[in-house]
């Protein structure tokens, strides 16, 4: 039995504007060594945010095995990390790496919880 899964994980604080939106699907089981199919659904003002969002959604979809939507607006906040509530004050790429790692932990934990209740 398949169950619908909706998980929303938000990283940061305040009320940032929505940036670009990417969607990635997990690769088919027989093509697990290939990248996840990915597309840009909405553009944004930052090329860097679009690229980072698509890369993150692709890696998470492959790791978790779920369709993943990612919206990024990291570079619009000026000093990245402080506005994310991470206290990093680092480049958008570094902030995204930290956020991706934490989101992956949350989604894996939720997937394990769901599998335990089936």
């Amino acid at each position: 039995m398949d169950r619908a899964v909706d998980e929303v994980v938000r990283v940061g604080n305040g009320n940032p504007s929505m940036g670009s939106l990417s969607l990635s699907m997990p690769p088919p089981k027989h093509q697990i060594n290939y990248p996840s199919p990915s597309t840009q659904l909405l553009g944004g003002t930052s090329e860097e945010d679009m690229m980072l969002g698509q890369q993150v959604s692709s890696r998470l979809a492959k790791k978790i095995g779920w369709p993943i939507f990612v919206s990024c607006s990291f570079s619009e906040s000026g000093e990245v990390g402080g506005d994310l509530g991470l206290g990093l004050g680092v480049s958008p790429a570094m902030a995204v790496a930290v956020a991706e790692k934490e989101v992956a932990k949350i989604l894996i934990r939720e997937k394990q919880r769901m599998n335990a209740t089936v």
Side-chain angles (χ1 to χ4, degrees), residues 1 6 18 33 53 60 102 105:
M1 174 198 289
D6 287 333
M18 183 172 164
N33 293 328
L60 287 173
E102 293 305 310
K105 286 181 192 176

Side-chain angles (χ1 to χ4, degrees), residues 7-41:
E7 281 296 317
V8 175
V9 179
R10 183 165 176 248
V11 178
N13 54 21
N15 197 12
S17 62
M18 183 172 164
S20 61
L21 180 64
S22 298
L23 166 64
S24 293
M25 302 298 286
K29 292 185 191 311
H30 66 280
Q31 294 181 336
I32 197 67
N33 293 328
Y34 291 91
S36 296
S38 185
T39 189
Q40 193 74 39
L41 299 176

Side-chain angles (χ1 to χ4, degrees), residues 83-107:
D83 290 328
L84 291 175
L86 300 174
L88 299 174
V90 296
S91 72
M94 179 62 81
V96 169
V98 171
E100 179 182 345
K101 184 177 179 181
E102 293 305 310
V103 168
K105 286 181 192 176
I106 292 166
L107 293 176

